[in-house]
């Protein structure tokens, strides 16, 4: 063995020392994998790994499509301006995916979740239909057409808090993907975003990013202890444009 | 003990995979961090590596020492062709919760920027190497695998590991201008010392 090759290469390629996972992240990654392993092992024990790999996306695709259909159905079936109707039956169907967008008497738009958000595009359509110039995506997949300028980065914490208010706890912080200055976590299961379109500064829209894979609302287990500092939503101001917010 | 763990891995025992994750995920993630240059991608590589390990578990031999070389070999392959692995495990990855966003503390942030800058420099140097050379550098220099373990991880003869390392060294020497080499040496000296100690332990 030629150790001088190794030590020379180490000297020529100086890398940072070993780093650790963020608190709790290793456990999250592990739990995700364990669920995947168990699902694969439980349901398709008779199939070869290759066959399993081919089957899974199709089966899950169908499940996701069904869930999205539930979301749309719930959103459409509930009358607007009727927040009390937005409490679904506490059956398993409600857990799949559901959200409602309701307009309050004072013009505030409430978004409530009763399960996991699976189709941000549908929520985006519903918000736009209710007059909110909005871009809705999963966290980390924000629309690149949405621009947040430097001044807004600094201001967005207070401004977005004013816009997306009610039932929301706001944490100052920054988001590495967007430079967006605000991230928000609802205080209680079932709590929602509340948006006042009239309070949006002229020419601005809202960028809403939701954490993927998290059951939201009373039908699902609340994902994180309230003070753990996990972001469930990120809400920020963006320049409204056809490609970003639809108008 | 290790042998029965290997048998359980081959049988697709989720708990055995859990133990594997506990023991090796940090090393896998740090290797991926050095190869990809950013931590979120490194976490993604880590998840993909363990999903690939599950898919490829039938290839684990019943006898042998630590499974770390096997995992590291999978990790360098995932880094080399991340889009293919991501496509293969698309559905599973879609269910992976996003990393939480935490407020940046100034000194932590500064340290991260330092790390990222250092890795960006290293990645420029790595571009002069072939993918095969980069893999052996990652395994032998950064992950502390010996030549035999690296050969096993990559499925190549030990002689090839040696020759790739030697070629990598010559190429990098040629590529580094003297003043830059001197300043990099100062910057990296403390970590190099630590790494050389690790190297001797193995």
């Amino acid at each position: 063995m030629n150790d001088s090759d190794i030590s020379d290469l180490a000297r020529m390629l100086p890398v940072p020392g070993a780093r650790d996972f963020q608190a709790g992240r290793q456990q999250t990654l592990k739990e995700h994998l364990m669920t995947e392993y168990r699902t694969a092992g439980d349901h398709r024990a008779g199939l070869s790994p290759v066959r399993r790999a081919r089957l899974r996306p199709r089966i899950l695709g169908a499940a996701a499509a069904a869930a999205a259909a539930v979301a749309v159905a719930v959103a459409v079936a509930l009358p607007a301006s009727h927040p009390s109707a937005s409490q679904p039956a506490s059956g398993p169907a409600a857990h799949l995916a559901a959200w409602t967008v309701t307009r309050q008497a004072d013009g505030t738009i409430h978004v409530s979740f009763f399960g996991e958000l699976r189709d941000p595009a549908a929520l985006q359509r519903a918000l736009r239909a209710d007059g909110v110039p909005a871009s809705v995506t999963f966290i980390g997949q924000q629309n690149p057409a949405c621009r947040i300028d430097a001044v807004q980065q600094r201001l967005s914490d207070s401004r977005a808090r004013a816009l997306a208010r009610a039932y929301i706890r706001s944490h100052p912080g920054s988001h590495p993907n967007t430079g967006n200055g605000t991230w928000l976590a609802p205080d209680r299961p079932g709590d929602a975003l509340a948006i006042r379109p009239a309070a949006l500064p002229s020419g601005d829209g809202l960028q809403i990013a939701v954490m993927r894979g998290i059951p939201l609302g009373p039908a699902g287990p609340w994902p994180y202890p309230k003070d753990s500092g996990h972001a469930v939503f990120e809400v920020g101001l963006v320049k409204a444009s056809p490609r970003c917010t639809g108008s | 003990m290790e042998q029965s763990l290997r048998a359980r891995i081959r049988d697709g025992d989720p708990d055995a995979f859990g133990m594997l994750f506990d023991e090796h995920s940090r090393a896998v993630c740090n290797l991926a961090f050095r190869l990809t240059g950013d931590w979120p991608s490194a976490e993604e590589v880590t998840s993909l590596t363990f999903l690939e390990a599950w898919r490829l578990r039938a290839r684990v031999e019943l006898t042998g020492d630590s499974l770390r070389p096997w995992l590291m070999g999978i990790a360098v392959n995932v880094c080399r062709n991340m889009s293919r692995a991501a496509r293969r495990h698309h559905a599973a990855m879609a269910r992976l919760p996003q990393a939480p966003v935490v407020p940046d503390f100034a000194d932590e942030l500064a340290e991260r920027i330092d790390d990222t800058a250092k890795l960006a420099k290293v990645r420029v140097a790595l571009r002069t190497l072939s993918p095969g050379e980069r893999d052996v550098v990652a395994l032998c220099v950064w992950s502390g695998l010996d030549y035999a373990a690296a050969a096993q991880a990559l499925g190549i003869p030990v002689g090839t590991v040696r020759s790739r390392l030697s070629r990598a060294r010559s190429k990098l020497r040629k590529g580094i201008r003297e003043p830059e080499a001197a300043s990099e040496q100062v910057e990296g000296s403390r970590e190099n010392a630590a790494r050389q100690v690790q190297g001797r332990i193995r």
Side-chain angles (χ1 to χ4, degrees):
Chain A
M1 175 185 281
N2 186 353
D3 270 336
S4 73
D5 277 348
I6 301 280
S7 51
D8 270 10
L9 283 163
R11 184 181 54 76
M12 289 187 283
L13 300 168
V15 289
R19 192 193 272 191
D20 232 323
F21 291 97
Q22 243 176 49
R25 184 62 179 163
Q26 191 176 21
Q27 192 56 31
T28 305
L29 296 177
K30 182 180 174 183
E31 278 163 15
H32 167 252
L33 285 166
M34 296 302 281
T35 307
E36 297 301 322
Y37 295 152
R38 293 210 166 99
T39 311
D42 287 351
H43 297 307
R44 310 194 227 325
L47 299 174
S48 73
V50 173
R51 175 83 180 125
R52 256 201 295 274
R54 284 200 198 118
L55 260 182
R56 298 199 62 184
R58 254 183 263 148
I59 291 167
L60 291 159
V70 170
V72 171
V74 171
V76 170
L78 291 168
S81 321
H82 203 291
S84 64
S86 64
Q87 298 300 328
S90 56
H95 176 73
L96 273 177
W99 44 264
T100 60
V101 173
T102 50
R103 180 184 283 276
Q104 311 297 304
D106 65 357
T108 307
I109 309 291
H110 273 207
V111 186
S112 307
F113 293 95
F114 306 99
E116 183 184 334
L117 174 71
R118 304 231 177 161
D119 187 358
L123 176 55
Q124 177 178 284
R125 279 195 298 278
L127 284 173
R128 288 178 182 179
D130 254 321
V132 183
S135 166
V136 185
T137 62
F138 289 120
I139 287 175
Q141 298 178 355
Q142 282 90 339
N143 182 351
C146 293
R147 279 192 311 118
I148 300 175
D149 67 39
V151 176
Q152 285 191 342
Q153 271 184 39
R154 283 200 300 276
L155 293 178
S156 60
D157 186 29
S158 56
R159 291 173 76 191
R161 209 181 327 175
L163 297 168
R165 64 160 195 87
Y167 316 121
I168 286 173
R169 202 159 47 102
S170 159
H171 304 262
S174 63
H175 188 265
N177 292 331
T178 59
N180 192 340
T182 303
W183 50 285
L184 308 154
D187 244 354
R188 299 191 307 266
D191 286 350
L193 296 166
I195 301 158
R196 292 181 297 167
L200 274 168
S202 163
D204 279 351
L206 272 186
Q207 185 180 57
I208 299 170
V210 182
M211 189 180 276
R212 186 172 211 148
I214 299 294
L216 301 160
W222 191 234
Y224 298 112
K226 247 188 355 181
D227 294 316
S228 68
H230 288 85
V232 179
F233 300 107
E234 293 169 3
V235 180
L237 286 178
V238 288
K239 287 275 166 230
S241 70
R243 285 175 60 213
C244 170
T245 55
S247 58
Chain B
M1 188 64 199
E2 191 66 53
Q3 190 169 345
S4 74
L5 177 65
R6 282 172 170 261
R8 288 170 62 197
I9 291 294
R10 270 183 63 139
D11 286 349
D13 173 351
D15 292 329
F17 272 86
M19 286 164 64
L20 210 59
F21 185 86
D22 287 341
E23 198 173 342
H24 303 297
S25 56
R26 188 168 174 268
V28 167
C29 202
N30 273 288
L31 173 67
F33 180 43
R34 287 158 181 182
L35 279 169
T36 60
D38 80 280
W39 190 262
S41 301
E43 285 190 353
E44 202 174 322
V45 169
T46 306
S47 289
L48 286 169
T49 297
F50 281 88
L51 289 168
E52 279 289 87
W54 175 268
R55 186 178 73 87
L56 301 169
R57 63 189 184 276
R59 296 187 194 171
V60 167
E61 287 174 16
L62 283 173
T63 55
D65 300 327
S66 167
L67 282 164
R68 182 173 291 206
W70 177 60
L71 286 171
M72 294 301 201
I74 294 174
V76 292
N77 277 326
V78 169
C79 288
R80 207 197 267 202
N81 199 339
M82 203 160 151
S83 53
R84 188 176 57 195
R87 262 199 314 278
R88 185 176 277 146
H89 299 288
H90 170 75
M93 291 304 283
R95 290 186 288 270
L96 173 65
Q98 293 273 336
V101 178
V102 294
D104 296 319
F105 296 105
D107 45 352
E108 201 175 306
L109 185 65
E111 195 183 316
R112 286 186 183 186
I113 291 170
D114 266 7
D115 284 359
T116 307
K118 198 176 269 182
L119 283 175
K121 232 180 200 178
V122 165
R123 281 163 64 77
V124 171
L126 282 184
R127 274 191 223 129
T128 62
L129 307 182
S130 73
E133 288 157 4
R134 208 177 49 221
D135 292 350
V136 292
V137 165
L139 294 178
C140 295
V141 182
W142 293 338
S143 294
L145 298 195
D146 61 26
Y147 290 10
Q152 189 200 334
L154 298 171
I156 55 176
V158 174
T160 308
V161 173
R162 268 184 230 280
S163 58
R164 283 184 188 172
L165 279 175
S166 167
R167 247 195 334 268
R169 181 168 78 155
S170 328
K171 280 187 184 175
L172 289 172
R173 266 197 179 155
K174 221 183 285 174
I176 292 177
R177 290 169 202 275
E178 282 312 311
E180 280 175 21
S183 71
E184 278 181 13
Q185 203 168 343
V186 172
E187 273 180 37
S189 57
R190 194 188 301 166
E191 280 151 9
N192 281 340
R195 199 175 310 107
Q196 278 159 17
V197 171
Q198 281 175 358
R200 272 188 229 111
I201 290 167
R202 94 171 170 272

